[in-house]
Amino acid sequence: MTQSLPAWAVELISVAAIVLGAIVILKLLERLLRRWASVSPEETADLLRARRRETAVGVLSSLVRYFVLLLTAFALLGLFVQNLLTAAAGATLLIAIVGFGAQRFLQDVIAGVFILLENQYGVGDFVTLEPSQLAGVVDEVGLRTTVLRNLNGDRYVVPNGQITGVRRTTRRFRRYTIDLLTHDPDEVDQTLERIVAIAPVGAARFLRAPFVDERQEVGDDLWLVRLKAEVPPTMEWLVETYLAGALRSSLGDSLVVEPLVYTLDDAAIRRYERTVLLRLVSS
C-alpha cells in the first residue's frame, strides 16, 4: 500500500514545478526574441531595421518577463491561499510589497513608455544621460530600465524614472575640423604624415586617419590648410588635445595662429542659417 505524500511536500513540489516552468518559458521566449533580432545587417537600411528590431526585442523581453512573473505570482498565491487565514496573510503581505515598490516601479515604467513613444533613443544610439552624466551605447531599452555599455565594456543599468534628459549623438561619432593658418603647407602635409604613422586608428580611437580636406592660399605666402578627423564620442581628447598639441609642437613658427579646432553639424547650421535669414528679412 503506497503512502501518500504529506500536504507540505505536495505544495513544495507544486511551487518548484511552477517556478521551474516559469523560468523555462521565460528563457525560451527570450531566446526566440533574440534570434529574431540577430539578423546581420548588410546595408544602411538593414542596419536601421536591425536597430529597431533590437529595441523592440528589449521592450518585448521586459514585457514577457513581467507577464510571466505576474502569472507565476498568481499561481503561487492561488496555491497557498486555501483558507481564510492564509488568504488574509497573503493578501496583507502582497499589499505591503506592492505599496512599497509600486510608486518607484510605476514611475520607471511610465518614463520608459514616454521614452519609447517619443523615440528619444534606441538600441545602438550613443547617449549621455542626465543628471547622472553616464555615457555609452544603448545596449537595451526596457520598460523599467535602460542599459548602457561604454567603450571600455562597463554596463550601466539606469532606472528610466531617474533620467531627466538625454543627449544623443546623431552621427554616433564626432567629426572635427582643424584649421591651420601657415606659411608652409607642405610642412603641414609632412607633419600630418608623421602623426598618422603613429596615430591610434581603430573602432575606439580615430575612426580613420586624419586627412587634409582643403588647402587654399588666402594671402601673400599665407595658406589655410583644413584637416578633418573623426572619433567616437567620449574620445574627443584625441583631436582636441593629442592631435592639436602634436600639430602645434611640430609646426612651431610656421603657424601664424594656434590651430582652430571645432565640430559643427551641417543640419543644425542650415537650420540656424534659415532663422538668421528670416530675421534679417523681417528686420
Side-chain angles (χ1 to χ4, degrees), residues 49-278:
R49 282 193 290 269
R51 290 180 53 248
R52 293 192 184 112
R53 278 198 300 269
E54 289 175 355
T55 303
V57 163
V59 176
L60 290 174
S61 294
S62 62
L63 282 173
V64 167
R65 189 180 305 117
Y66 294 136
F67 181 71
V68 172
L69 290 176
L70 188 62
L71 287 181
T72 304
F74 276 121
L76 292 174
L77 189 62
L79 182 65
F80 284 116
V81 293
Q82 296 176 359
N83 58 65
L84 186 60
L85 181 60
T86 309
T92 303
L93 179 61
L94 184 62
I95 291 173
I97 294 174
V98 171
F100 183 76
Q103 182 177 359
R104 177 59 61 85
F105 177 81
L106 290 176
Q107 179 183 353
D108 293 337
V109 169
I110 291 171
V113 169
F114 280 113
I115 287 172
L116 294 168
L117 289 179
E118 296 171 0
N119 193 26
Q120 296 180 17
Y121 52 81
V123 172
D125 286 331
F126 196 101
V127 299
T128 302
L129 304 180
E130 301 289 349
S132 62
Q133 289 296 307
L134 295 176
V137 180
V138 178
D139 214 22
E140 182 181 336
V141 182
L143 282 180
R144 200 186 71 82
T145 60
T146 293
V147 180
L148 299 184
R149 185 188 298 270
N150 67 12
L151 296 182
N152 66 15
D154 292 340
R155 298 179 81 235
Y156 305 120
V157 181
V158 185
N160 292 329
Q162 295 182 12
I163 301 172
T164 60
V166 180
R167 184 171 74 239
R168 182 171 67 177
T169 306
T170 53
R171 285 199 194 105
R172 298 178 188 84
F173 65 91
R174 196 77 69 193
R175 176 175 292 161
Y176 275 93
T177 301
I178 304 99
D179 286 347
L180 303 173
L181 203 59
T182 179
H183 296 298
D184 191 351
D186 293 331
E187 186 181 358
V188 172
D189 294 338
Q190 297 168 7
T191 300
L192 187 61
E193 287 180 6
R194 291 195 299 270
I195 294 173
V196 166
I198 61 173
V201 178
R205 291 164 283 187
F206 285 109
L207 296 181
R208 57 174 171 169
F211 61 95
V212 176
D213 182 62
E214 183 181 348
R215 179 197 295 199
Q216 61 177 338
E217 190 173 7
V218 295
D220 187 19
D221 192 30
L222 190 61
W223 291 78
L224 172 65
V225 181
R226 178 162 291 159
L227 311 180
K228 295 288 187 180
E230 297 167 350
V231 294
T234 71
M235 302 295 288
E236 290 87 352
W237 62 270
L238 279 173
V239 178
E240 297 173 0
T241 303
Y242 172 73
L243 182 57
L247 290 168
R248 187 186 306 111
S249 61
S250 299
L251 294 172
D253 294 337
S254 65
L255 283 179
V256 177
V257 294
E258 292 284 311
L260 179 60
V261 181
Y262 57 93
T263 177
L264 297 173
D265 180 73
D266 294 336
I269 292 298
R270 287 194 297 269
R271 178 165 294 184
Y272 171 73
E273 287 174 345
R274 286 200 299 269
T275 61
V276 172
L277 289 174
L278 287 173

